[in-house]
Amino acid sequence: MIAAFATLIWLGNLVITLLKGRSVNVEGLSVSDTITTIAMQLGYEGPSLNEISNKLTTAVSRIVKIKE
């Protein structure tokens, strides 16, 4: 378990180093915090609230049309 976690941290650090030219210190962070840190370093912002709202509105509209 510890070896697998260390390998994941090493791999994330390698990816960031190759893509951004810098390493990141994730020592002492939880797995979710590590993933968040790596995603932020790579520039991933995730879906915006507008995207989520639009998808929910579309889904609700389709459900209403089906029930009618």
Side-chain angles (χ1 to χ4, degrees):
M1 177 76 172
I2 294 172
F5 182 67
T7 303
L8 287 175
I9 290 174
W10 173 82
L11 182 61
N13 219 0
L14 176 66
V15 169
I16 291 171
T17 302
L18 291 174
L19 294 176
K20 296 285 187 169
R22 60 181 167 218
S23 60
V24 64
N25 183 11
V26 293
E27 185 177 337
L29 295 178
S30 67
V31 173
S32 63
D33 289 341
T34 301
I35 293 170
T36 302
T37 301
I38 291 171
M40 287 173 46
Q41 291 291 324
L42 294 175
Y44 178 72
E45 296 178 8
S48 68
L49 291 177
N50 287 335
E51 287 178 41
I52 294 170
S53 175
N54 290 340
K55 289 180 181 179
L56 286 174
T57 303
T58 304
V60 169
S61 297
R62 289 180 181 170
I63 291 171
V64 169
K65 286 180 184 177
I66 291 171
K67 288 189 174 189
E68 291 179 346

